[in-house]
Amino acid sequence: LAEFVEFSPRSFPYFLQPKLVGIVVSVDSSGKPNGMTVAWFMPVSRDPPLMVVAVSPRRYTYSLIKQTRDFTLNILDSSLIGEVEFFGSVSGRDVDKFSKSRLTLSKSKFVKSPYISEAVTILECSLYADYPAGDHQLIIGKVERLLVKKDAASDNIYNLKKIKLLLYLGEGKYTVTSEEVYEYP
Ligand SMILES: Cc1cc2nc3c(=O)[nH]c(=O)nc-3n(C[C@H](O)[C@H](O)[C@H](O)COP(=O)(O)O)c2cc1C
């Protein structure tokens, strides 16, 4: 029988990772955009299409989403690891992150928050609900629009031969998706 090492329950997030990485883009009342790196998000409903992202109420992004009531989730590939680190280490309260990065923004169709033109996948989301949960808030977004970069997907799923998605492992370490795909009959 395998032996186990017992960790503190506080370490559990590391063992639910690696996770896809994205940048949540939100805007202030004047329309000025801010981005923040996220890894704690997942789908929760297909009809209506709902996703959840755990956002600490300390993030500038949290106050922007509460104010403007929408955001975009932008999924990135491994070429953008530098941007992911930058958007996840400084606050929009102190720094205009987009003016200091090479990421470019495009106007969304259904929400005020713009999306990142270099992203692989974009979810335009309206704020559907917001629940407290420990030291984070559960931001539930209703997916109003879904854009996936041409060639990044075939048959409704990612084509991993064409893209390497960035995954967050923890403690400042990242990995990427592999090309290996298994299909069981
Ligand atoms: C890989 C990575 C993943 C992160 N995931 C989350 C997350 O899911 N939720 C969260 O509240 N903060 C997360 N953060 C931290 C925020 O991105 C960070 O605090 C950011 O500076 C907040 O920016 P803001 O104050 O402009 O909103 C993550 C950081 C990194 C580097």
Side-chain angles (χ1 to χ4, degrees):
L1 225 57
E3 278 189 56
F4 291 98
V5 177
E6 188 161 343
F7 285 82
S8 155
R10 293 176 54 90
S11 295
F12 88 90
Y14 299 121
F15 298 99
L16 297 184
Q17 287 161 188
K19 288 191 133 333
L20 279 182
V21 177
I23 293 180
V24 163
V25 177
S26 53
V27 289
D28 70 11
S29 51
S30 76
K32 188 184 164 195
N34 180 51
M36 133 173 175
T37 300
V38 290
W40 292 1
F41 58 86
M42 66 171 191
V44 287
S45 165
R46 210 193 282 270
D47 186 19
L50 302 178
M51 55 79 76
V52 65
V53 52
V55 178
S56 162
R58 300 201 308 236
R59 314 291 184 233
Y60 182 51
T61 297
Y62 179 70
S63 61
L64 293 186
I65 291 174
K66 289 297 277 184
Q67 243 178 66
T68 321
R69 304 190 68 79
D70 70 40
F71 61 94
T72 62
L73 174 67
N74 304 265
I75 304 297
L76 307 172
D77 73 12
S78 58
S79 67
L80 296 172
I81 182 168
E83 281 71 13
V84 161
E85 268 293 299
F86 175 61
F87 278 83
S89 57
V90 297
S91 176
R93 268 189 214 98
D94 313 314
V95 180
D96 180 348
K97 291 186 239 183
F98 280 106
S99 78
K100 289 195 156 27
S101 102
R102 60 189 176 100
L103 294 180
T104 57
L105 293 168
S106 301
K107 216 170 150 7
S108 290
K109 194 165 174 187
F110 296 113
V111 300
K112 291 178 232 81
S113 304
Y115 64 82
I116 296 173
S117 323
E118 292 81 5
V120 174
T121 296
I122 297 130
L123 272 58
E124 293 183 12
C125 296
S126 58
L127 179 61
Y128 183 86
D130 171 22
Y131 302 108
D135 57 10
H136 281 57
Q137 293 284 131
L138 302 181
I139 296 285
I140 314 274
K142 177 157 182 255
V143 182
E144 308 284 1
R145 187 187 192 203
L146 167 65
L147 293 174
V148 182
K149 201 140 265 178
K150 219 176 188 163
D151 300 333
S154 38
D155 300 332
N156 236 353
I157 57 170
Y158 285 120
N159 182 341
L160 297 182
K161 287 194 168 38
K162 296 280 172 67
I163 45 153
K164 276 194 181 346
L165 294 165
L166 189 61
L167 303 167
Y168 186 56
L169 187 57
E171 304 281 37
K173 293 186 171 67
Y174 296 82
T175 182
V176 296
T177 52
S178 109
E179 286 187 15
E180 277 177 66
V181 174
Y182 307 99
E183 193 174 4
Y184 292 98

